[in-house]
Amino acid sequence: MRDFVYCAPTRVVFGRDTEKQVGQLLKDFGAKRVLLQYGGGSVKRSGLYDTVVACVKAAGIELFEMGGVQPNPRLSFVREAIELCRKESIDFLLAIGGGSAIDSTKATAVGVPYEGDVWDFYAGKQQPKTALPLGVVLTFPAAGSEGSNSSVITNVEAGGIKRGLGCDLTRPAFAIYNPELTYTLPPYQTAAGASDIMAHTMERYFTNEPDVDFSDRLCESLLKTIIRQAPVCLKDPTNYEARAEMMWASTVAHNDFLSNFRLGDWASHQLSHELSGAYDSTHGAALAVIFPAWMKYVYKHDVKRFCRFAVNVMGVEPDFFHEEETALKGIAALENFYRSIGMPVTLKELGVPDTQLRELAEKVKRNPDGTVGQFVKLNTEDCLAIYELAR
Ligand code: NZQ
Ligand code: ZN
């Protein structure tokens, strides 16, 4: 069991019509000049943009905006946002959307007060010492960025390198959740979100830490909730309860509540980031391809844990005389679940060519000791083998 410090200060405001509280919340947090970031237009089509703008203006707050954050948000956009913030003396940032709008906002938050180039943080050269505060109106349960300390940015000019920053200063001051705002999510995005939420939980679940029973059980419950609720959302997109469960699960899966006492793995995320960086793959879809391949490659490291996953999460009939078989059945069941919700499970289905797998494997972000992952520490050949298994 590891010692830990846990700090998740985000004020959560959950329920119908809560987006109308955005002006008051900004005032509560002392905002006067706000930069709003959002994506490619879903918030305009849904009417959320108009509601938020009206509420912020009614609160007497000066509002600036930058729309057009792309999925796998770009460094170039962040640099522009930083410039605008400096020019207009912005004192608070607001994101409406999913992980991409939030991460672009988080990168802006650390970039504004920093004298150097914001990429220094993502390249691991510097750690932020200060940041602008930010708030969120969430439209997509997936990345968990609304409660997490992390943000992930893609540097296209450097050849499609996607890198993350972990920094508690970027945890949002507040996050607003109205499950009705997620009714418009296309099925593919709903499923990709489910895959990402599961991945955040499984990265933590597969640990070498013994005696972490409480968080093991929390992880299993969260995974079972997604397995139950994601198909409901797909079948019945306006099911409030199912959408609400997905939204809260998204946050709990990634705000480190499940990390206490344990060290997670994160190799699957690093391997997936290379696919998104190079081929712009949807994050959750890339994870649905990589996670089962990673599992097939590493399960022998702790067959008992994979067996427990198979039985407690995937509902495989327990056969403790044949633990390896049970473990493999669990991995197959996970793949089948991804298929059933419309996720790809091979690189081919993801639309990623298998011609440059070695190049990808060489680029994967390393731990300080040169390896990838924690549950099993991988080298370049291991990463390549996992990509090969995912073909
Ligand atoms: O751009 P718009 O038009 O808004 O459309 C978006 C986008 O095309 C659409 N969308 C979002 N909410 C919608 C909606 N469409 C209809 N109705 C709604 N309510 O969905 C598409 C994807 O949105 P995006 O924000 O890119 O998705 P997601 O939340 O999955 O974020 C993905 C990014 O987050 C990073 C990923 O790597 C990726 O770059 N992650 C961030 C993490 C973090 N900060 O803690 C952790 C994750 O592991 C992840 O790496
Ligand atoms: Zn993720």
Side-chain angles (χ1 to χ4, degrees):
M1 220 181 228
R2 300 166 70 88
D3 295 344
F4 67 86
V5 173
Y6 180 59
C7 172
T10 306
R11 187 187 299 178
V12 170
V13 181
F14 202 112
R16 289 185 172 92
D17 284 337
T18 45
E19 65 276 19
K20 293 181 184 151
Q21 297 178 37
V22 66
Q24 187 56 48
L25 278 161
L26 286 167
K27 259 169 103 169
D28 290 353
F29 282 94
K32 293 196 171 57
R33 295 171 70 80
V34 170
L35 175 67
L36 166 67
Q37 291 189 44
Y38 55 92
S42 72
V43 297
K44 288 211 163 160
R45 288 191 294 279
S46 69
L48 174 63
Y49 169 88
D50 288 338
T51 306
V52 165
V53 169
C55 292
V56 174
K57 289 192 171 158
I61 290 163
E62 191 91 36
L63 187 65
F64 299 80
E65 66 168 69
M66 276 182 70
V69 178
Q70 287 169 262
N72 300 317
R74 308 298 200 257
L75 175 63
S76 52
F77 189 95
V78 171
R79 286 184 178 138
E80 277 179 44
I82 291 169
E83 281 306 306
L84 181 62
C85 287
R86 288 179 181 153
K87 187 169 152 253
E88 300 295 349
S89 305
I90 298 295
D91 59 17
F92 203 99
L93 303 173
L94 180 64
I96 56 176
S100 295
I102 304 170
D103 285 7
S104 184
T105 298
K106 287 179 168 183
T108 308
V110 292
V112 173
Y114 177 59
E115 283 178 4
D117 179 19
V118 65
W119 185 249
D120 290 351
F121 300 133
Y122 293 85
K125 290 187 196 156
Q126 293 287 338
Q127 192 65 16
K129 296 197 173 54
T130 174
L132 287 184
L134 64 124
V136 169
V137 182
L138 186 66
T139 66
F140 185 12
S145 187
E146 66 279 1
S148 80
N149 74 348
S150 65
S151 53
V152 193
I153 296 296
T154 299
N155 185 340
V156 176
E157 293 74 27
I161 301 178
K162 187 173 177 184
R163 291 289 180 268
L165 165 69
C167 168
D168 278 335
L169 294 167
T170 65
R171 289 193 197 258
F174 66 82
I176 293 174
Y177 307 61
N178 175 358
E180 290 173 342
L181 296 174
T182 69
Y183 289 175
T184 49
L185 276 165
Y188 189 80
Q189 293 297 346
T190 297
S195 163
D196 196 14
I197 298 169
M198 290 179 75
H200 296 155
T201 314
M202 294 187 297
E203 296 280 21
R204 291 170 166 95
Y205 186 75
F206 291 101
T207 181
N208 294 319
E209 211 59 52
D211 306 320
V212 283
D213 194 39
F214 178 48
S215 47
D216 272 347
R217 288 169 192 263
L218 289 173
C219 289
E220 288 164 358
S221 297
L222 201 150
L223 289 166
K224 283 163 76 172
T225 300
I226 301 302
I227 290 169
R228 177 181 290 177
Q229 302 297 349
V232 177
C233 294
L234 289 169
K235 207 167 153 223
D236 181 9
T238 59
N239 184 310
Y240 183 89
E241 285 73 21
R243 292 290 194 183
E245 298 264 24
M246 297 290 286
M247 266 188 133
W248 187 229
S250 153
T251 302
V252 176
H254 201 37
N255 74 352
D256 287 332
F257 185 62
L258 304 178
S259 314
N260 300 336
F261 296 135
R262 56 206 296 146
L263 181 65
D265 181 66
W266 299 102
S268 299
H269 263 75
Q270 301 305 350
L271 288 157
S272 304
H273 285 339
E274 294 312 321
L275 306 178
S276 299
Y279 301 105
D280 213 14
S281 306
T282 298
H283 176 62
L287 284 164
V289 171
I290 294 297
F291 231 112
W294 173 84
M295 288 177 159
K296 286 175 206 164
Y297 193 72
V298 306
Y299 76 94
K300 287 190 178 151
H301 173 71
D302 188 349
V303 173
K304 282 197 184 313
R305 181 154 282 273
F306 275 92
C307 192
R308 177 180 171 153
F309 171 80
V311 174
N312 290 1
V313 177
M314 300 313 304
V316 173
E317 200 61 41
D319 179 354
F320 296 107
F321 296 106
H322 303 94
E323 286 187 329
E324 198 166 330
E325 246 174 62
T326 306
L328 286 169
K329 278 186 191 166
I331 300 169
L334 178 67
E335 254 179 346
N336 286 338
F337 173 72
Y338 288 147
R339 275 200 193 92
S340 75
I341 59 170
M343 281 288 96
V345 291
T346 63
L347 289 175
K348 200 169 172 209
E349 289 162 21
L350 186 65
V352 167
D354 58 6
T355 47
Q356 283 162 330
L357 298 183
R358 177 165 289 282
E359 204 179 298
L360 291 176
E362 281 166 0
K363 268 179 28 189
V364 179
K365 188 184 170 197
R366 312 282 143 163
N367 301 321
D369 67 0
T371 62
V372 176
Q374 298 292 345
F375 180 66
V376 175
K377 288 187 170 272
L378 308 171
N379 61 28
T380 301
E381 294 310 311
D382 298 320
C383 292
L384 178 60
I386 293 169
Y387 283 136
E388 298 278 358
L389 274 172
R391 275 158 85 127

